[in-house]
Amino acid sequence: MPKSSPNLNPPAPVAQQLPAPVFEDKKHLIKIFQGDCLDILAALPENTFDLIFADPPYFLSNNGITCHAGRMVSVNKGKWDVSRGAGANHEFNRAWLAACQRVLKPNGSIWVSGTSHVIHSVGFAMQQLDFKLLNDISWVKPNPPPNLSCRYFTHTTETIIWAQ
Ligand SMILES: C[S@@+](CC[C@H](N)C(=O)[O-])C[C@H]1O[C@@H](n2cnc3c(N)ncnc32)[C@H](O)[C@@H]1O
């Protein structure tokens, strides 16, 4: 009996009604929609975009502290940034990347920025979805927050993955 490989990719999104844009500039053909990206992307036609830029959650809101403008502040940004565990975080990355893949034109490309906490999951999800990885771009931050624990190096870079 031939072995069939299991389909590990997320199900295709179900089309929804696109909400009214929260901002529109008709002259420059710009529209901003606010909502869950999975809902918004599902409401857009496939093969639409030449380029997508995404800065997804880093899942760093863990009740820790960081330094902002010289002051010690909470790292908590909101529920959306709370880790649901490595497996669930990765499934989220796969789901929104698959939704982006559907709306990208065949010759379109995607840029995704992230720290080391999330970018490896993004890269792996792209490989699982058969994106072609074009480049890793290092975004060097001249003024990164200091590492208050002094037990490892400061996070002076983010990686941007450029893929097709
Ligand atoms: C790393 S932050 C990006 C911040 C952005 N670069 C900026 O300068 O404002 C991640 C963003 O993703 C948004 N987000 C999280 N989950 C989302 C979802 N399911 N759909 C749409 N946006 C989401 C958060 O509200 C947050 O603004």
Side-chain angles (χ1 to χ4, degrees), residues 39-107:
D39 297 335
I40 304 282
L41 287 165
L44 294 165
E46 59 182 18
N47 302 337
T48 301
F49 298 103
D50 296 299
L51 182 76
I52 292 177
F53 192 107
D55 185 15
Y58 303 165
F59 301 116
L60 284 177
S61 292
N62 58 3
N63 298 321
I65 48 160
T66 186
C67 180
H68 181 70
R71 300 177 69 169
M72 198 187 286
V73 292
S74 164
V75 296
N76 289 352
K77 291 189 169 151
K79 265 195 191 161
W80 56 267
D81 194 47
V82 176
S83 172
R84 299 164 229 173
N89 295 346
H90 185 65
E91 282 317 305
F92 171 71
N93 287 328
R94 268 173 59 143
W96 69 259
L97 280 164
C100 288
Q101 195 171 40
R102 190 185 69 82
V103 298
L104 265 183
K105 289 180 185 170
N107 62 349

Side-chain angles (χ1 to χ4, degrees), residues 3-62:
K3 264 193 189 165
S4 62
S5 55
N7 180 3
L8 298 174
N9 287 333
V14 179
Q16 319 250 349
Q17 180 92 27
L18 204 54
V22 291
F23 173 85
E24 183 164 11
D25 176 344
K26 289 193 171 141
K27 185 173 163 205
H28 297 102
L29 302 176
I30 297 168
K31 283 185 188 175
I32 298 179
F33 295 100
Q34 193 170 27
D36 189 307
C37 63
L38 294 176
D39 297 335
I40 304 282
L41 287 165
L44 294 165
E46 59 182 18
N47 302 337
T48 301
F49 298 103
D50 296 299
L51 182 76
I52 292 177
F53 192 107
D55 185 15
Y58 303 165
F59 301 116
L60 284 177
S61 292
N62 58 3

